[in-house]
Amino acid sequence: MSQHDEGHTVAGWTGTAIATVGSGLLGLAVCTVSVPVLVAGLAVCAVSVLVTWYLHLAGRGKPPGPRPRSQWPLGVRDTAARDGHPGCVSCRLAGRGRHPSSALRPTPVTGTPEQPATAETGS
């Protein structure tokens, strides 16, 4: 088993199941040339992303990277999700995990701005 145990969470399995249904609808839409079924498949795929994101933020997902073996079972809730996971795109999109020590935070530019280039005219 992987040391990262990625995707073995309620959020991962639920999102995968919903996305599988959406992909099946998209395949059916292609085979039957049906625009309403195509739109429904796209909607279900979009819902899978939102449900997975919500479950991750609710503590049913896990942060990226290695975790202790005690946190590997499917039903273990992540208590650190409320503060946000460092380096997690989902948490950053939700406004969580923005700590002053974050490497992803923009740094202010110091010094003087560059002088605009001037064109030399020759005679």
Side-chain angles (χ1 to χ4, degrees), residues 1 8 16 50 53 60 73 76 100 110:
M1 180 175 250
H8 295 213
T16 300
L50 295 175
W53 187 31
R60 294 298 178 186
V76 175
T110 58

Side-chain angles (χ1 to χ4, degrees), residues 93-123:
L93 287 173
R96 297 180 182 182
R98 296 181 186 259
H99 302 293
S101 63
S102 174
L104 300 174
R105 194 171 260 250
T107 56
V109 178
T110 58
T112 61
E114 293 183 59
Q115 298 294 324
T118 57
E120 293 183 24
T121 57
S123 46

Side-chain angles (χ1 to χ4, degrees), residues 8-84:
H8 295 213
T9 63
V10 173
W13 282 107
T14 304
T16 300
I18 296 171
T20 301
V21 172
S23 298
L25 284 172
L26 288 171
L28 179 66
V30 169
C31 291
T32 61
V33 190
S34 173
V35 174
V37 178
L38 179 76
V39 171
L42 290 172
V44 171
C45 286
V47 166
S48 75
V49 171
L50 295 175
V51 166
T52 305
W53 187 31
Y54 171 77
L55 287 172
H56 173 78
L57 295 176
R60 294 298 178 186
K62 300 287 184 351
R67 294 186 314 269
R69 191 174 283 272
S70 64
Q71 295 181 0
W72 283 12
L74 184 65
V76 175
R77 190 170 182 135
D78 181 22
T79 57
R82 183 173 299 248
D83 298 328

